[in-house]
Amino acid sequence: MRSGTSTTDARIDAVNDQHAFLRTDPAVPVALGDRVLLGLSHPCTMFDKGRLLPVVADLDDADPLIVGLIETRF
C-alpha cells in the first residue's frame, strides 16, 4: 500500500513458520517494500520469536518511527 494508505479489508489467510499470507482487495495492491503493520493476538508470541521488541514514538503515525528497543528475557 502506498505511504499513508490503509485498508481494513486486508487479512492474513494462513501462516507457516515465519511467513504470513496476506490477502487484499486488488484495488489496493501491496508492492515490494511496502510496510504492513500487524498486531499480536498474544504477547507470548513476540517474546518467543524475538529477543528485541521495537518501541515506536506513535503507533498511529502513518510511518511509525522506532525510537528504541526492549530486550526480552523470556
Tab-separated table of all heavy atoms in Angstrom:
chain	number	residue	atom	x	y	z
A	1	MET	N	0.840	-1.161	0.000
A	1	MET	CA	0.000	0.000	0.000
A	1	MET	C	0.891	1.232	0.000
A	1	MET	O	1.932	1.233	0.625
A	1	MET	CB	-0.906	-0.010	1.221
A	1	MET	CG	-1.904	-1.159	1.191
A	1	MET	SD	-2.887	-1.295	2.683
A	1	MET	CE	-1.728	-2.124	3.746
A	2	ARG	N	0.505	2.218	-0.684
A	2	ARG	CA	1.281	3.451	-0.760
A	2	ARG	C	1.322	4.135	0.596
A	2	ARG	O	0.429	3.946	1.425
A	2	ARG	CB	0.696	4.415	-1.797
A	2	ARG	CG	0.678	3.870	-3.193
A	2	ARG	CD	2.103	3.599	-3.701
A	2	ARG	NE	2.117	2.345	-4.420
A	2	ARG	CZ	2.835	1.283	-4.082
A	2	ARG	NH1	3.593	1.279	-3.057
A	2	ARG	NH2	2.812	0.197	-4.795
A	3	SER	N	2.333	4.937	0.820
A	3	SER	CA	2.508	5.644	2.088
A	3	SER	C	1.237	6.404	2.461
A	3	SER	O	0.677	7.117	1.649
A	3	SER	CB	3.678	6.620	1.977
A	3	SER	OG	3.820	7.322	3.176
A	4	GLY	N	0.790	6.206	3.675
A	4	GLY	CA	-0.401	6.889	4.146
A	4	GLY	C	-1.700	6.197	3.771
A	4	GLY	O	-2.766	6.610	4.167
A	5	THR	N	-1.635	5.125	2.985
A	5	THR	CA	-2.822	4.386	2.572
A	5	THR	C	-3.079	3.283	3.588
A	5	THR	O	-2.154	2.670	4.084
A	5	THR	CB	-2.610	3.734	1.187
A	5	THR	OG1	-2.287	4.739	0.258
A	5	THR	CG2	-3.836	2.993	0.730
A	6	SER	N	-4.335	3.039	3.889
A	6	SER	CA	-4.641	1.917	4.765
A	6	SER	C	-5.914	1.252	4.285
A	6	SER	O	-6.699	1.828	3.553
A	6	SER	CB	-4.790	2.373	6.216
A	6	SER	OG	-5.989	3.079	6.373
A	7	THR	N	-6.080	0.029	4.694
A	7	THR	CA	-7.284	-0.714	4.359
A	7	THR	C	-7.646	-1.620	5.522
A	7	THR	O	-6.769	-2.129	6.204
A	7	THR	CB	-7.114	-1.532	3.076
A	7	THR	OG1	-8.351	-2.210	2.805
A	7	THR	CG2	-6.010	-2.556	3.170
A	8	THR	N	-8.911	-1.795	5.752
A	8	THR	CA	-9.355	-2.741	6.761
A	8	THR	C	-9.815	-4.032	6.100
A	8	THR	O	-10.228	-4.957	6.782
A	8	THR	CB	-10.511	-2.158	7.601
A	8	THR	OG1	-11.571	-1.790	6.722
A	8	THR	CG2	-10.047	-0.948	8.388
A	9	ASP	N	-9.723	-4.094	4.765
A	9	ASP	CA	-10.141	-5.289	4.036
A	9	ASP	C	-9.025	-6.312	3.898
A	9	ASP	O	-9.249	-7.384	3.364
A	9	ASP	CB	-10.662	-4.910	2.649
A	9	ASP	CG	-11.920	-4.060	2.728
A	9	ASP	OD1	-12.687	-4.252	3.686
A	9	ASP	OD2	-12.121	-3.217	1.859
A	10	ALA	N	-7.825	-5.992	4.334
A	10	ALA	CA	-6.717	-6.947	4.260
A	10	ALA	C	-6.844	-7.943	5.402
A	10	ALA	O	-7.342	-7.628	6.470
A	10	ALA	CB	-5.386	-6.213	4.331
A	11	ARG	N	-6.361	-9.160	5.150
A	11	ARG	CA	-6.398	-10.170	6.202
A	11	ARG	C	-5.279	-11.185	5.980
A	11	ARG	O	-4.814	-11.367	4.865
A	11	ARG	CB	-7.744	-10.872	6.241
A	11	ARG	CG	-8.041	-11.715	5.022
A	11	ARG	CD	-9.446	-12.325	5.082
A	11	ARG	NE	-9.662	-13.205	3.970
A	11	ARG	CZ	-10.004	-12.826	2.744
A	11	ARG	NH1	-10.147	-11.546	2.476
A	11	ARG	NH2	-10.191	-13.699	1.781
A	12	ILE	N	-4.866	-11.816	7.051
A	12	ILE	CA	-3.903	-12.904	6.977
A	12	ILE	C	-4.708	-14.196	6.831
A	12	ILE	O	-5.505	-14.533	7.698
A	12	ILE	CB	-3.014	-12.963	8.241
A	12	ILE	CG1	-2.252	-11.660	8.440
A	12	ILE	CG2	-2.070	-14.162	8.167
A	12	ILE	CD1	-1.257	-11.331	7.374
A	13	ASP	N	-4.509	-14.893	5.713
A	13	ASP	CA	-5.247	-16.132	5.448
A	13	ASP	C	-4.609	-17.363	6.075
A	13	ASP	O	-5.296	-18.310	6.434
A	13	ASP	CB	-5.355	-16.375	3.939
A	13	ASP	CG	-6.562	-15.702	3.340
A	13	ASP	OD1	-7.352	-15.098	4.073
A	13	ASP	OD2	-6.716	-15.776	2.104
A	14	ALA	N	-3.277	-17.358	6.160
A	14	ALA	CA	-2.583	-18.530	6.690
A	14	ALA	C	-1.201	-18.121	7.166
A	14	ALA	O	-0.686	-17.079	6.770
A	14	ALA	CB	-2.463	-19.605	5.605
A	15	VAL	N	-0.642	-18.934	8.036
A	15	VAL	CA	0.731	-18.729	8.494
A	15	VAL	C	1.438	-20.069	8.496
A	15	VAL	O	0.819	-21.123	8.663
A	15	VAL	CB	0.800	-18.105	9.903
A	15	VAL	CG1	0.263	-16.699	9.910
A	15	VAL	CG2	0.069	-18.935	10.924
A	16	ASN	N	2.758	-20.032	8.274
A	16	ASN	CA	3.590	-21.209	8.473
A	16	ASN	C	5.001	-20.743	8.784
A	16	ASN	O	5.491	-19.798	8.178
A	16	ASN	CB	3.539	-22.198	7.298
A	16	ASN	CG	4.147	-21.676	6.025
A	16	ASN	OD1	5.052	-20.863	6.042
A	16	ASN	ND2	3.667	-22.144	4.893
A	17	ASP	N	5.604	-21.341	9.762
A	17	ASP	CA	6.927	-20.937	10.241
A	17	ASP	C	6.971	-19.438	10.474
A	17	ASP	O	6.249	-18.929	11.303
A	17	ASP	CB	8.022	-21.381	9.269
A	17	ASP	CG	8.149	-22.889	9.186
A	17	ASP	OD1	7.868	-23.553	10.194
A	17	ASP	OD2	8.523	-23.401	8.128
A	18	GLN	N	7.787	-18.730	9.724
A	18	GLN	CA	7.975	-17.291	9.880
A	18	GLN	C	7.206	-16.492	8.826
A	18	GLN	O	7.454	-15.309	8.639
A	18	GLN	CB	9.470	-16.950	9.759
A	18	GLN	CG	10.359	-17.720	10.691
A	18	GLN	CD	10.295	-17.227	12.114
A	18	GLN	OE1	10.159	-16.047	12.357
A	18	GLN	NE2	10.392	-18.129	13.077
A	19	HIS	N	6.271	-17.107	8.117
A	19	HIS	CA	5.598	-16.462	6.995
A	19	HIS	C	4.104	-16.277	7.245
A	19	HIS	O	3.462	-17.118	7.862
A	19	HIS	CB	5.785	-17.293	5.714
A	19	HIS	CG	7.223	-17.518	5.372
A	19	HIS	ND1	7.919	-18.602	5.842
A	19	HIS	CD2	8.083	-16.784	4.636
A	19	HIS	CE1	9.163	-18.536	5.405
A	19	HIS	NE2	9.292	-17.447	4.667
A	20	ALA	N	3.576	-15.163	6.734
A	20	ALA	CA	2.134	-14.910	6.783
A	20	ALA	C	1.669	-14.634	5.357
A	20	ALA	O	2.393	-14.024	4.568
A	20	ALA	CB	1.830	-13.717	7.678
A	21	PHE	N	0.481	-15.080	5.022
A	21	PHE	CA	-0.072	-14.918	3.682
A	21	PHE	C	-1.165	-13.857	3.733
A	21	PHE	O	-2.231	-14.071	4.304
A	21	PHE	CB	-0.603	-16.260	3.173
A	21	PHE	CG	0.493	-17.285	3.039
A	21	PHE	CD1	0.853	-18.076	4.121
A	21	PHE	CD2	1.193	-17.417	1.855
A	21	PHE	CE1	1.880	-19.006	4.014
A	21	PHE	CE2	2.216	-18.347	1.730
A	21	PHE	CZ	2.564	-19.133	2.816
A	22	LEU	N	-0.869	-12.699	3.156
A	22	LEU	CA	-1.735	-11.532	3.204
A	22	LEU	C	-2.645	-11.491	1.988
A	22	LEU	O	-2.184	-11.624	0.858
A	22	LEU	CB	-0.870	-10.261	3.239
A	22	LEU	CG	-1.609	-8.933	3.259
A	22	LEU	CD1	-2.323	-8.743	4.587
A	22	LEU	CD2	-0.639	-7.787	3.005
A	23	ARG	N	-3.933	-11.304	2.212
A	23	ARG	CA	-4.919	-11.139	1.139
A	23	ARG	C	-5.468	-9.730	1.205
A	23	ARG	O	-5.826	-9.249	2.276
A	23	ARG	CB	-6.079	-12.117	1.286
A	23	ARG	CG	-5.672	-13.552	1.248
A	23	ARG	CD	-5.635	-14.040	-0.162
A	23	ARG	NE	-5.322	-15.461	-0.120
A	23	ARG	CZ	-4.813	-16.117	-1.123
A	23	ARG	NH1	-4.593	-15.510	-2.246
A	23	ARG	NH2	-4.545	-17.394	-1.005
A	24	THR	N	-5.521	-9.061	0.057
A	24	THR	CA	-6.070	-7.709	-0.007
A	24	THR	C	-7.000	-7.597	-1.208
A	24	THR	O	-6.993	-8.440	-2.096
A	24	THR	CB	-4.979	-6.637	-0.173
A	24	THR	OG1	-4.338	-6.815	-1.437
A	24	THR	CG2	-3.956	-6.701	0.929
A	25	ASP	N	-7.767	-6.540	-1.232
A	25	ASP	CA	-8.587	-6.203	-2.386
A	25	ASP	C	-7.639	-5.818	-3.528
A	25	ASP	O	-6.710	-5.045	-3.316
A	25	ASP	CB	-9.489	-5.021	-2.021
A	25	ASP	CG	-10.449	-4.641	-3.121
A	25	ASP	OD1	-10.073	-4.719	-4.313
A	25	ASP	OD2	-11.574	-4.243	-2.798
A	26	PRO	N	-7.821	-6.345	-4.739
A	26	PRO	CA	-6.946	-5.998	-5.860
A	26	PRO	C	-6.893	-4.494	-6.149
A	26	PRO	O	-5.934	-4.001	-6.726
A	26	PRO	CB	-7.543	-6.757	-7.044
A	26	PRO	CG	-8.305	-7.875	-6.438
A	26	PRO	CD	-8.812	-7.351	-5.112
A	27	ALA	N	-7.892	-3.748	-5.717
A	27	ALA	CA	-7.895	-2.295	-5.925
A	27	ALA	C	-6.873	-1.595	-5.023
A	27	ALA	O	-6.536	-0.443	-5.252
A	27	ALA	CB	-9.293	-1.733	-5.669
A	28	VAL	N	-6.391	-2.299	-3.986
A	28	VAL	CA	-5.379	-1.753	-3.081
A	28	VAL	C	-4.172	-2.690	-3.113
A	28	VAL	O	-3.989	-3.515	-2.228
A	28	VAL	CB	-5.920	-1.628	-1.635
A	28	VAL	CG1	-4.896	-0.971	-0.729
A	28	VAL	CG2	-7.231	-0.879	-1.605
A	29	PRO	N	-3.339	-2.572	-4.158
A	29	PRO	CA	-2.220	-3.504	-4.282
A	29	PRO	C	-1.133	-3.241	-3.236
A	29	PRO	O	-0.938	-2.116	-2.799
A	29	PRO	CB	-1.690	-3.228	-5.684
A	29	PRO	CG	-2.066	-1.811	-5.946
A	29	PRO	CD	-3.380	-1.601	-5.231
A	30	VAL	N	-0.458	-4.302	-2.865
A	30	VAL	CA	0.684	-4.215	-1.967
A	30	VAL	C	1.916	-4.520	-2.815
A	30	VAL	O	1.959	-5.515	-3.528
A	30	VAL	CB	0.558	-5.236	-0.810
A	30	VAL	CG1	1.775	-5.182	0.089
A	30	VAL	CG2	-0.706	-4.979	-0.018
A	31	ALA	N	2.916	-3.637	-2.738
A	31	ALA	CA	4.124	-3.797	-3.543
A	31	ALA	C	5.325	-4.111	-2.660
A	31	ALA	O	5.321	-3.836	-1.452
A	31	ALA	CB	4.384	-2.527	-4.344
A	32	LEU	N	6.336	-4.675	-3.259
A	32	LEU	CA	7.579	-4.965	-2.568
A	32	LEU	C	8.100	-3.683	-1.925
A	32	LEU	O	8.158	-2.637	-2.567
A	32	LEU	CB	8.612	-5.516	-3.556
A	32	LEU	CG	9.930	-5.968	-2.960
A	32	LEU	CD1	9.719	-7.117	-1.987
A	32	LEU	CD2	10.878	-6.398	-4.067
A	33	GLY	N	8.429	-3.737	-0.661
A	33	GLY	CA	8.923	-2.570	0.064
A	33	GLY	C	7.858	-1.839	0.857
A	33	GLY	O	8.173	-0.991	1.685
A	34	ASP	N	6.580	-2.131	0.608
A	34	ASP	CA	5.509	-1.510	1.390
A	34	ASP	C	5.553	-2.045	2.821
A	34	ASP	O	5.964	-3.177	3.060
A	34	ASP	CB	4.134	-1.818	0.794
A	34	ASP	CG	3.848	-1.043	-0.471
A	34	ASP	OD1	4.619	-0.122	-0.801
A	34	ASP	OD2	2.849	-1.359	-1.134
A	35	ARG	N	5.130	-1.243	3.750
A	35	ARG	CA	5.092	-1.640	5.153
A	35	ARG	C	3.683	-2.083	5.506
A	35	ARG	O	2.720	-1.393	5.221
A	35	ARG	CB	5.494	-0.475	6.042
A	35	ARG	CG	5.541	-0.860	7.502
A	35	ARG	CD	5.994	0.268	8.365
A	35	ARG	NE	7.351	0.620	7.988
A	35	ARG	CZ	7.922	1.771	8.279
A	35	ARG	NH1	7.254	2.679	8.944
A	35	ARG	NH2	9.156	2.020	7.918
A	36	VAL	N	3.580	-3.248	6.123
A	36	VAL	CA	2.297	-3.768	6.594
A	36	VAL	C	2.418	-3.918	8.101
A	36	VAL	O	3.303	-4.609	8.594
A	36	VAL	CB	1.974	-5.135	5.939
A	36	VAL	CG1	0.684	-5.702	6.499
A	36	VAL	CG2	1.917	-5.014	4.428
A	37	LEU	N	1.555	-3.237	8.847
A	37	LEU	CA	1.591	-3.290	10.304
A	37	LEU	C	0.601	-4.324	10.812
A	37	LEU	O	-0.560	-4.321	10.413
A	37	LEU	CB	1.253	-1.914	10.890
A	37	LEU	CG	2.169	-0.776	10.467
A	37	LEU	CD1	1.654	0.549	11.024
A	37	LEU	CD2	3.579	-1.028	10.920
A	38	LEU	N	1.068	-5.196	11.672
A	38	LEU	CA	0.232	-6.248	12.233
A	38	LEU	C	0.294	-6.194	13.753
A	38	LEU	O	1.300	-5.777	14.329
A	38	LEU	CB	0.712	-7.628	11.780
A	38	LEU	CG	0.761	-7.864	10.268
A	38	LEU	CD1	1.446	-9.188	9.978
A	38	LEU	CD2	-0.628	-7.832	9.682
A	39	GLY	N	-0.744	-6.643	14.384
A	39	GLY	CA	-0.752	-6.764	15.837
A	39	GLY	C	-0.600	-8.216	16.227
A	39	GLY	O	-0.592	-9.100	15.380
A	40	LEU	N	-0.479	-8.468	17.508
A	40	LEU	CA	-0.350	-9.834	18.014
A	40	LEU	C	-1.593	-10.217	18.792
A	40	LEU	O	-2.171	-9.387	19.500
A	40	LEU	CB	0.860	-9.949	18.940
A	40	LEU	CG	2.215	-9.740	18.284
A	40	LEU	CD1	3.299	-9.687	19.350
A	40	LEU	CD2	2.503	-10.855	17.311
A	41	SER	N	-1.988	-11.473	18.675
A	41	SER	CA	-3.140	-11.930	19.446
A	41	SER	C	-2.748	-12.261	20.883
A	41	SER	O	-3.587	-12.258	21.769
A	41	SER	CB	-3.767	-13.150	18.773
A	41	SER	OG	-2.835	-14.211	18.746
A	42	HIS	N	-1.463	-12.549	21.105
A	42	HIS	CA	-0.999	-12.886	22.450
A	42	HIS	C	0.453	-12.448	22.587
A	42	HIS	O	1.271	-12.775	21.739
A	42	HIS	CB	-1.126	-14.395	22.691
A	42	HIS	CG	-1.017	-14.760	24.124
A	42	HIS	ND1	0.196	-14.889	24.767
A	42	HIS	CD2	-1.964	-14.996	25.052
A	42	HIS	CE1	-0.013	-15.205	26.024
A	42	HIS	NE2	-1.312	-15.286	26.223
A	43	PRO	N	0.809	-11.717	23.631
A	43	PRO	CA	2.174	-11.200	23.758
A	43	PRO	C	3.253	-12.272	23.813
A	43	PRO	O	4.377	-12.026	23.394
A	43	PRO	CB	2.147	-10.388	25.054
A	43	PRO	CG	0.833	-10.586	25.678
A	43	PRO	CD	-0.061	-11.285	24.722
A	44	CYS	N	2.949	-13.456	24.291
A	44	CYS	CA	3.966	-14.501	24.357
A	44	CYS	C	4.495	-14.861	22.973
A	44	CYS	O	5.617	-15.332	22.833
A	44	CYS	CB	3.416	-15.749	25.047
A	44	CYS	SG	3.191	-15.517	26.813
A	45	THR	N	3.684	-14.649	21.947
A	45	THR	CA	4.137	-14.912	20.580
A	45	THR	C	5.390	-14.101	20.281
A	45	THR	O	6.366	-14.614	19.743
A	45	THR	CB	3.033	-14.550	19.570
A	45	THR	OG1	1.867	-15.278	19.902
A	45	THR	CG2	3.454	-14.873	18.159
A	46	MET	N	5.376	-12.837	20.624
A	46	MET	CA	6.536	-11.984	20.360
A	46	MET	C	7.717	-12.360	21.235
A	46	MET	O	8.846	-12.426	20.785
A	46	MET	CB	6.168	-10.508	20.558
A	46	MET	CG	7.295	-9.573	20.233
A	46	MET	SD	7.784	-9.751	18.516
A	46	MET	CE	9.386	-8.977	18.591
A	47	PHE	N	7.464	-12.618	22.509
A	47	PHE	CA	8.558	-12.967	23.411
A	47	PHE	C	9.243	-14.256	22.973
A	47	PHE	O	10.450	-14.411	23.124
A	47	PHE	CB	8.062	-13.126	24.853
A	47	PHE	CG	7.543	-11.848	25.451
A	47	PHE	CD1	6.393	-11.848	26.203
A	47	PHE	CD2	8.207	-10.648	25.250
A	47	PHE	CE1	5.911	-10.675	26.772
A	47	PHE	CE2	7.737	-9.470	25.807
A	47	PHE	CZ	6.588	-9.478	26.566
A	48	ASP	N	8.481	-15.183	22.422
A	48	ASP	CA	9.024	-16.453	21.975
A	48	ASP	C	9.799	-16.321	20.662
A	48	ASP	O	10.729	-17.061	20.414
A	48	ASP	CB	7.866	-17.446	21.807
A	48	ASP	CG	8.350	-18.849	21.497
A	48	ASP	OD1	9.357	-19.279	22.097
A	48	ASP	OD2	7.726	-19.511	20.663
A	49	LYS	N	9.415	-15.380	19.810
A	49	LYS	CA	10.003	-15.261	18.463
A	49	LYS	C	11.199	-14.325	18.385
A	49	LYS	O	12.018	-14.443	17.496
A	49	LYS	CB	8.954	-14.770	17.455
A	49	LYS	CG	7.749	-15.665	17.341
A	49	LYS	CD	8.097	-16.956	16.675
A	49	LYS	CE	6.840	-17.784	16.504
A	49	LYS	NZ	7.103	-19.175	16.279
A	50	GLY	N	11.269	-13.343	19.259
A	50	GLY	CA	12.351	-12.369	19.121
A	50	GLY	C	12.901	-11.930	20.458
A	50	GLY	O	12.203	-11.935	21.473
A	51	ARG	N	14.169	-11.554	20.466
A	51	ARG	CA	14.814	-11.087	21.696
A	51	ARG	C	14.670	-9.578	21.884
A	51	ARG	O	14.868	-9.063	22.964
A	51	ARG	CB	16.295	-11.459	21.678
A	51	ARG	CG	16.591	-12.939	21.673
A	51	ARG	CD	16.462	-13.542	23.017
A	51	ARG	NE	17.147	-12.710	24.004
A	51	ARG	CZ	17.662	-13.149	25.110
A	51	ARG	NH1	17.596	-14.405	25.396
A	51	ARG	NH2	18.251	-12.332	25.951
A	52	LEU	N	14.364	-8.851	20.790
A	52	LEU	CA	14.240	-7.400	20.868
A	52	LEU	C	12.867	-6.959	20.388
A	52	LEU	O	12.410	-7.371	19.325
A	52	LEU	CB	15.314	-6.719	20.011
A	52	LEU	CG	16.759	-6.947	20.445
A	52	LEU	CD1	17.715	-6.344	19.430
A	52	LEU	CD2	17.010	-6.371	21.828
A	53	LEU	N	12.202	-6.115	21.176
A	53	LEU	CA	10.909	-5.548	20.802
A	53	LEU	C	11.116	-4.095	20.402
A	53	LEU	O	11.689	-3.321	21.173
A	53	LEU	CB	9.935	-5.593	21.986
A	53	LEU	CG	9.634	-6.947	22.607
A	53	LEU	CD1	8.742	-6.769	23.829
A	53	LEU	CD2	8.990	-7.853	21.604
A	54	PRO	N	10.661	-3.693	19.214
A	54	PRO	CA	10.798	-2.285	18.836
A	54	PRO	C	9.795	-1.414	19.600
A	54	PRO	O	8.674	-1.828	19.866
A	54	PRO	CB	10.494	-2.287	17.332
A	54	PRO	CG	9.697	-3.515	17.101
A	54	PRO	CD	10.099	-4.506	18.150
A	55	VAL	N	10.219	-0.214	19.945
A	55	VAL	CA	9.368	0.785	20.592
A	55	VAL	C	9.176	1.904	19.582
A	55	VAL	O	10.151	2.426	19.031
A	55	VAL	CB	10.033	1.344	21.864
A	55	VAL	CG1	9.171	2.429	22.486
A	55	VAL	CG2	10.309	0.228	22.854
A	56	VAL	N	7.927	2.264	19.302
A	56	VAL	CA	7.659	3.325	18.335
A	56	VAL	C	7.156	4.571	19.052
A	56	VAL	O	6.538	4.493	20.111
A	56	VAL	CB	6.644	2.881	17.249
A	56	VAL	CG1	7.220	1.755	16.408
A	56	VAL	CG2	5.331	2.473	17.857
A	57	ALA	N	7.447	5.737	18.438
A	57	ALA	CA	7.048	7.011	19.034
A	57	ALA	C	5.532	7.155	19.045
A	57	ALA	O	4.943	7.551	20.043
A	57	ALA	CB	7.693	8.164	18.279
A	58	ASP	N	4.882	6.827	17.923
A	58	ASP	CA	3.427	6.973	17.813
A	58	ASP	C	2.910	5.907	16.863
A	58	ASP	O	3.100	6.007	15.654
A	58	ASP	CB	3.072	8.369	17.296
A	58	ASP	CG	1.571	8.611	17.238
A	58	ASP	OD1	0.790	7.690	17.564
A	58	ASP	OD2	1.176	9.732	16.864
A	59	LEU	N	2.262	4.894	17.391
A	59	LEU	CA	1.767	3.781	16.571
A	59	LEU	C	0.727	4.224	15.556
A	59	LEU	O	0.569	3.607	14.513
A	59	LEU	CB	1.188	2.679	17.472
A	59	LEU	CG	0.789	1.381	16.785
A	59	LEU	CD1	1.976	0.759	16.062
A	59	LEU	CD2	0.224	0.407	17.783
A	60	ASP	N	0.022	5.324	15.832
A	60	ASP	CA	-0.999	5.815	14.909
A	60	ASP	C	-0.418	6.632	13.768
A	60	ASP	O	-1.141	7.003	12.838
A	60	ASP	CB	-2.033	6.659	15.663
A	60	ASP	CG	-2.827	5.810	16.647
A	60	ASP	OD1	-3.082	4.630	16.326
A	60	ASP	OD2	-3.174	6.312	17.722
A	61	ASP	N	0.890	6.922	13.806
A	61	ASP	CA	1.544	7.668	12.734
A	61	ASP	C	1.548	6.814	11.463
A	61	ASP	O	1.679	5.593	11.523
A	61	ASP	CB	2.976	8.003	13.159
A	61	ASP	CG	3.660	8.995	12.257
A	61	ASP	OD1	3.032	9.446	11.278
A	61	ASP	OD2	4.828	9.326	12.526
A	62	ALA	N	1.410	7.448	10.294
A	62	ALA	CA	1.408	6.720	9.020
A	62	ALA	C	2.735	6.002	8.787
A	62	ALA	O	2.781	4.969	8.126
A	62	ALA	CB	1.121	7.678	7.876
A	63	ASP	N	3.825	6.539	9.317
A	63	ASP	CA	5.149	5.929	9.179
A	63	ASP	C	5.810	5.928	10.558
A	63	ASP	O	6.629	6.785	10.857
A	63	ASP	CB	5.981	6.719	8.167
A	63	ASP	CG	7.265	6.014	7.784
A	63	ASP	OD1	7.405	4.808	8.081
A	63	ASP	OD2	8.135	6.672	7.196
A	64	PRO	N	5.430	4.975	11.430
A	64	PRO	CA	5.913	4.989	12.816
A	64	PRO	C	7.437	4.974	12.916
A	64	PRO	O	8.106	4.221	12.224
A	64	PRO	CB	5.335	3.710	13.421
A	64	PRO	CG	4.184	3.351	12.548
A	64	PRO	CD	4.558	3.837	11.176
A	65	LEU	N	7.969	5.816	13.772
A	65	LEU	CA	9.400	5.930	13.992
A	65	LEU	C	9.808	5.045	15.166
A	65	LEU	O	9.253	5.173	16.266
A	65	LEU	CB	9.750	7.396	14.296
A	65	LEU	CG	11.204	7.684	14.652
A	65	LEU	CD1	12.101	7.422	13.439
A	65	LEU	CD2	11.344	9.117	15.117
A	66	ILE	N	10.765	4.150	14.928
A	66	ILE	CA	11.280	3.307	16.001
A	66	ILE	C	12.244	4.143	16.824
A	66	ILE	O	13.213	4.691	16.302
A	66	ILE	CB	11.976	2.042	15.448
A	66	ILE	CG1	10.946	1.170	14.725
A	66	ILE	CG2	12.652	1.266	16.570
A	66	ILE	CD1	11.527	-0.035	14.030
A	67	VAL	N	11.961	4.279	18.118
A	67	VAL	CA	12.759	5.140	18.989
A	67	VAL	C	13.570	4.355	20.014
A	67	VAL	O	14.340	4.929	20.772
A	67	VAL	CB	11.872	6.177	19.716
A	67	VAL	CG1	11.252	7.136	18.720
A	67	VAL	CG2	10.805	5.485	20.548
A	68	GLY	N	13.411	3.048	20.040
A	68	GLY	CA	14.176	2.242	20.987
A	68	GLY	C	13.875	0.771	20.849
A	68	GLY	O	13.024	0.364	20.043
A	69	LEU	N	14.584	-0.015	21.613
A	69	LEU	CA	14.399	-1.469	21.633
A	69	LEU	C	14.343	-1.947	23.080
A	69	LEU	O	15.036	-1.394	23.938
A	69	LEU	CB	15.548	-2.176	20.913
A	69	LEU	CG	15.699	-1.886	19.438
A	69	LEU	CD1	17.013	-2.457	18.913
A	69	LEU	CD2	14.530	-2.457	18.653
A	70	ILE	N	13.510	-2.947	23.321
A	70	ILE	CA	13.434	-3.556	24.645
A	70	ILE	C	13.900	-5.003	24.503
A	70	ILE	O	13.391	-5.740	23.662
A	70	ILE	CB	11.984	-3.545	25.184
A	70	ILE	CG1	11.497	-2.110	25.346
A	70	ILE	CG2	11.903	-4.305	26.503
A	70	ILE	CD1	10.032	-2.014	25.695
A	71	GLU	N	14.886	-5.393	25.329
A	71	GLU	CA	15.370	-6.766	25.288
A	71	GLU	C	14.478	-7.650	26.158
A	71	GLU	O	14.184	-7.301	27.300
A	71	GLU	CB	16.805	-6.840	25.784
A	71	GLU	CG	17.388	-8.234	25.700
A	71	GLU	CD	18.832	-8.310	26.152
A	71	GLU	OE1	19.398	-7.273	26.530
A	71	GLU	OE2	19.382	-9.418	26.126
A	72	THR	N	14.032	-8.761	25.596
A	72	THR	CA	13.181	-9.683	26.349
A	72	THR	C	14.054	-10.690	27.088
A	72	THR	O	15.167	-11.002	26.666
A	72	THR	CB	12.203	-10.430	25.437
A	72	THR	OG1	12.944	-11.273	24.548
A	72	THR	CG2	11.344	-9.480	24.653
A	73	ARG	N	13.534	-11.190	28.168
A	73	ARG	CA	14.228	-12.225	28.959
A	73	ARG	C	13.186	-13.292	29.328
A	73	ARG	O	12.899	-13.522	30.482
A	73	ARG	CB	14.846	-11.617	30.198
A	73	ARG	CG	15.914	-10.593	29.869
A	73	ARG	CD	16.467	-9.969	31.135
A	73	ARG	NE	17.249	-8.810	30.844
A	73	ARG	CZ	18.543	-8.819	30.612
A	73	ARG	NH1	19.213	-9.947	30.604
A	73	ARG	NH2	19.181	-7.690	30.360
A	74	PHE	N	12.616	-13.884	28.298
A	74	PHE	CA	11.517	-14.828	28.479
A	74	PHE	C	12.026	-16.239	28.510
A	74	PHE	O	12.863	-16.639	27.780
A	74	PHE	CB	10.513	-14.638	27.335
A	74	PHE	CG	9.264	-15.460	27.469
A	74	PHE	CD1	8.364	-15.193	28.491
A	74	PHE	CD2	8.975	-16.467	26.590
A	74	PHE	CE1	7.197	-15.930	28.615
A	74	PHE	CE2	7.808	-17.196	26.695
A	74	PHE	CZ	6.923	-16.929	27.716
